[in-house]
Amino acid sequence: MIEVNELTKRYGDKLAVDHLSFTIPQGVVTGFLGPNGAGKSTTMRMMLDLDRPTSGSVRIDGKQYGQLHEPLKYIGALLEAKAVHPGRTAYNHLLWLAASNRIPTRRVDEVLALVGLTAVAKKRSGGFSLGMGQRLGIAAALLGDPKILMFDEPVNGLDPEGIIWVRNLMKSLAAEGRTVFVSSHLMSEMALTADHLIVIGLGRLLADMPMNEFIDRNSRSFVRLRTPQPERLLDMLSANGITALQDGAGAWEVEDGDMARIGDLAAEHGVALHELSPQRASLEEAFMRMTAEAVEYQTGAPALQPAQQQEPEPAAAWGAGWKKES
Amino acid sequence: MFPVLLSEWIKVRTVRSTFITLLLTLVVTVGLGAVVCAVLASTWDTQPAAERANFDATGSSFSGIALGQLALIVFAVLIVTSEYSTGMIRATLGAVPQRLTLMLAKVLTVVGLVGVVSLLTAFISFFLGQALLGSHRTSISDPGVTRAVFGMAIYMTLLALLSVGVAFMVRRPIPALAILMPFFFLISPILNAVPKVKNVAHFFPDVAGRQLYSVHGNTDVPYGPTAGFFIVLAWSLGCVVIGYLLFARRDA
Ligand SMILES: Nc1ncnc2c1ncn2[C@@H]1O[C@H](COP(=O)(O)OP(=O)(O)OP(=O)(O)O)[C@@H](O)[C@H]1O
Ligand SMILES: [Mg+2]
């Protein structure tokens, strides 16, 4: 079991991780979610004793990573940056890793096959594509057959086929009873793979709960209305104690609205409706609202107005804007 | 400890730069030493009397180290800095988080590998140089000669160790080389030419090393081969220890 306790990391006057505490549940996929610069990679590096915490601690079954004997048999990690010498072959990279932790050499061939790199095993890794490099990193993480796996943005740079492969790999690793801790800045990605969710923003913990609970709590449902007669619609709704809010795109939203009742009311009052539809705000939006609030709390800057839309946001569009304000 | 040593050994033998730099060290040292000996032999009669009186046949056959150490320094620096420039240090420390063990394994790998290459370099340089010196040659059985030949191998090994220490302090290849190269090629020779400062420069590792691998040594230098050995050793261990202290403390 991994316990992170009041973990803090300061780079100069930049607080990258701020009194972060959480426990990673065993045997499931835990998503570690946060916008760019939230401190995910820094936290993971501290978990592996690569970066020294300013304060706080990480305990892996009660021990610090540096106290683990032959740690690759215990925890396998894929970090953000490439950690391979470009002049060395994929096989030799795994070979020295295996030797350092007394892992049998045949395991090198096994993991190469597992990630689909057998054909290029004897090629120097400098010529690998982003996706191949990522696969080699995953092979290295799996080398010691560890019961805990840590992946920092494993789908970065992968094509759709590769993304699905990683998703399935994580699920199957968890199905084998392993603990999988995977970071991402995409809620949509996590919704597909994670059983548990830990959300951070600006180095602080924002949420730590099972995925189901996060979905129940955060996917707001509402009824969307469009009409050529907005005054009449609003009068009718307020007369019946229903509040509607404009969504910025010419439509109206009724939080947790009863669609049948609104439809009946409109018919009774002769209000023309061009749209009457049930909506569920995306998790992406909930996540954005959550992280935007973290910024507001710290800097007093106004929260980002979340775009009210159904489709998930494009990958990298957000996060960049508010980060500048910190 | 043994698995870590094995892993470090696999690392050095699976990249090309190791072979290139070590081969270059041997070839340049032996080759330049041979040229110097050949030139000395052919111009013997025109050499000033003082030169002839101070002539050290063994030390002369090791003249090539002045240039050969360049490649050796590059080898030692790259072993450490390539871990940082490629990001591999994180994989390394992920596998071996005990930093003292890791550093010891690296140091022992360098000592072992450079030790072998240095012994080869020293003996080949010596015998080839003596063959070219003709009638001015010395014999391996003469007093102090064996000590000087082994001294050469020891000096080269300690020089590599010193470079490893500096590389751990600096972490990036260019700054590490920018510190080491001038130190051995410029600063020490220049300081050696300035009267008072000379007394300080006498304790620099290259000067101490020369005492170690010459039979007669430089009479200006106020100590002999044994002290020379300890001075070089102190430099190397000093750099390795400082390198370790920084390595142990810093973020990878
Ligand atoms: N070595 C470092 N020196 C200085 N600042 C750093 C260092 N590493 C990280 N930071 C800063 O700490 C903060 C957290 O960075 P980190 O890389 O952990 O974020 P992240 O959540 O992994 O982001 P991303 O999604 O972009 O990978 C950032 O503001 C970053 O600029
Ligand atoms: Mg990151």
Side-chain angles (χ1 to χ4, degrees):
Chain A
M1 188 165 70
I2 301 185
E3 291 159 293
V4 172
N5 194 7
E6 291 292 308
L7 197 63
T8 303
K9 179 71 183 182
R10 191 177 274 286
Y11 293 110
D13 48 340
K14 166 103 205 166
L15 198 55
V17 176
D18 187 3
H19 295 89
L20 196 57
S21 298
F22 58 81
T23 300
I24 302 176
Q26 277 175 287
V28 297
V29 178
T30 296
F32 189 35
L33 200 60
N36 293 125
K40 304 180 294 292
S41 300
T42 304
T43 303
M44 287 176 142
R45 286 198 303 274
M46 286 192 286
M47 293 168 96
L48 297 178
D49 256 3
L50 294 171
D51 282 19
R52 308 301 202 194
T54 306
S55 64
S57 63
V58 179
R59 289 285 176 274
I60 300 151
D61 284 350
K63 285 189 202 155
Q64 225 174 305
Y65 189 85
Q67 295 166 338
L68 295 177
H69 178 62
E70 297 177 351
L72 297 185
K73 293 177 177 170
Y74 207 91
I75 299 188
L78 167 79
L79 291 178
E80 188 172 39
K82 252 198 188 172
V84 184
H85 191 300
R88 195 174 278 125
T89 66
Y91 180 86
N92 284 332
H93 176 68
L94 297 173
L95 190 64
W96 74 254
L97 272 172
S100 70
N101 278 239
R102 294 192 307 132
I103 295 162
T105 308
R106 68 175 153 72
R107 185 67 192 151
V108 171
D109 296 307
E110 277 173 30
V111 291
L112 280 167
L114 193 66
V115 301
L117 287 181
T118 307
V120 292
K122 300 288 159 88
K123 293 235 159 51
R124 295 203 272 149
S125 70
F128 282 12
S129 68
L130 210 58
M132 287 158 84
Q134 205 74 331
R135 282 168 189 262
L136 180 54
I138 292 173
L142 297 173
L143 192 62
D145 198 14
K147 61 175 181 180
I148 303 172
L149 285 139
M150 228 157 86
F151 299 117
D152 196 357
E153 313 227 7
V155 299
N156 260 6
L158 294 185
D159 54 17
E161 193 194 334
I163 292 176
I164 291 168
W165 176 75
V166 168
R167 242 181 240 159
N168 291 337
L169 177 72
M170 288 189 296
K171 284 185 188 161
S172 66
L173 288 168
E176 289 164 15
R178 297 177 217 262
T179 299
V180 180
F181 186 58
V182 54
S183 83
S184 175
H185 56 265
L186 290 180
M187 182 69 221
S188 51
E189 184 59 39
M190 287 298 94
L192 290 169
T193 37
D195 308 295
H196 191 90
L197 202 61
I198 292 170
V199 183
I200 64 168
L202 289 174
R204 278 178 295 120
L205 188 70
L206 299 178
D208 177 358
M209 61 185 76
M211 193 71 205
N212 294 336
E213 196 181 325
F214 185 88
I215 292 174
D216 288 346
R217 274 206 213 170
N218 291 291
S219 49
R220 171 175 83 89
S221 70
F222 58 93
V223 172
R224 183 148 74 201
L225 301 165
R226 259 177 229 279
T227 174
Q229 304 159 302
E231 279 92 27
R232 291 193 57 193
L233 175 76
L234 290 179
D235 286 349
M236 170 199 93
L237 290 173
S238 59
N240 288 281
I242 300 170
T243 349
L245 296 170
Q246 197 151 18
D247 77 346
W252 299 86
E253 289 180 356
V254 178
E255 196 89 20
D256 293 320
D258 178 344
M259 207 162 58
R261 178 158 177 251
I262 295 170
D264 291 346
L265 283 171
E268 256 170 57
H269 292 80
V271 177
L273 289 183
H274 289 179
E275 179 179 351
L276 173 65
S277 61
Q279 300 287 335
R280 239 179 138 72
S282 69
L283 286 175
E284 205 76 47
E285 187 199 319
F287 169 49
M288 254 168 64
R289 217 181 314 125
M290 189 176 265
T291 51
E293 276 160 16
V295 177
E296 181 182 44
Y297 174 70
Q298 194 174 54
T299 64
L304 192 78
Q305 216 50 59
Q308 313 259 306
Q309 58 177 36
Q310 225 181 341
E311 311 86 74
E313 278 281 295
W318 56 275
W322 61 261
K323 206 178 149 184
K324 289 194 192 88
E325 290 170 359
S326 61
Chain B
M1 186 69 201
F2 179 74
V4 184
L5 258 178
L6 177 61
S7 132
E8 287 301 319
W9 165 243
I10 294 171
K11 276 190 202 169
V12 296
R13 74 170 173 75
T14 52
V15 286
R16 271 191 213 153
S17 62
T18 312
F19 297 98
I20 296 172
T21 47
L22 286 180
L23 190 68
L24 221 59
T25 306
L26 190 144
V27 170
V28 170
T29 309
V30 170
L32 188 64
V35 170
V36 167
C37 288
V39 170
L40 274 173
S42 66
T43 59
W44 182 262
D45 297 331
T46 60
Q47 297 282 338
E51 283 286 317
R52 279 189 261 177
N54 276 333
F55 179 68
D56 183 342
T58 313
S60 299
S61 61
F62 295 148
S63 312
I65 191 62
L67 212 57
Q69 63 189 358
L70 222 154
L72 188 60
I73 291 171
V74 172
F75 162 78
V77 162
L78 281 186
I79 273 208
V80 178
T81 58
S82 69
E83 292 255 0
Y84 285 95
S85 57
T86 60
M88 214 172 76
I89 188 70
R90 286 179 177 159
T92 299
L93 286 174
V96 187
Q98 297 78 14
R99 297 192 184 190
L100 182 60
T101 308
L102 180 73
M103 181 132 177
L104 281 178
K106 271 215 184 313
V107 161
L108 288 177
T109 308
V110 168
V111 167
L113 195 56
V114 174
V116 171
V117 173
S118 301
L119 277 172
L120 277 173
T121 308
F123 277 93
I124 299 174
S125 296
F126 177 77
F127 286 111
L128 185 61
Q130 300 317 310
L132 290 165
L133 280 171
S135 56
H136 311 292
R137 69 166 166 262
T138 183
S139 155
I140 189 84
S141 54
D142 281 0
V145 173
T146 318
R147 185 264 304 153
V149 177
F150 279 104
M152 170 70 168
I154 291 170
Y155 169 69
M156 288 174 71
T157 310
L158 290 177
L159 175 64
L161 215 52
L162 186 155
S163 308
V164 165
V166 171
F168 265 110
M169 294 180 214
V170 186
R171 295 189 281 188
R172 281 171 301 145
I174 305 298
L177 293 175
I179 289 172
L180 287 164
M181 296 283 175
F183 193 79
F184 284 92
F185 285 89
L186 286 173
I187 300 174
S188 184
I190 290 172
L191 291 187
N192 241 317
V194 183
K196 288 229 170 81
V197 185
K198 208 167 158 174
N199 298 331
V200 179
H202 280 161
F203 293 93
F204 278 16
D206 57 332
V207 178
R210 213 167 298 130
Q211 295 300 91
L212 180 57
Y213 61 72
S214 318
V215 173
H216 306 309
N218 184 342
T219 44
D220 283 353
V221 177
Y223 55 81
T226 311
F229 165 72
F230 282 108
I231 290 169
V232 184
L233 184 69
W235 276 92
S236 302
L237 290 186
C239 287
V240 167
V241 168
I242 295 171
Y244 170 70
L245 292 177
L246 290 171
F247 176 55
R249 198 151 305 167
R250 284 197 286 221
D251 291 345

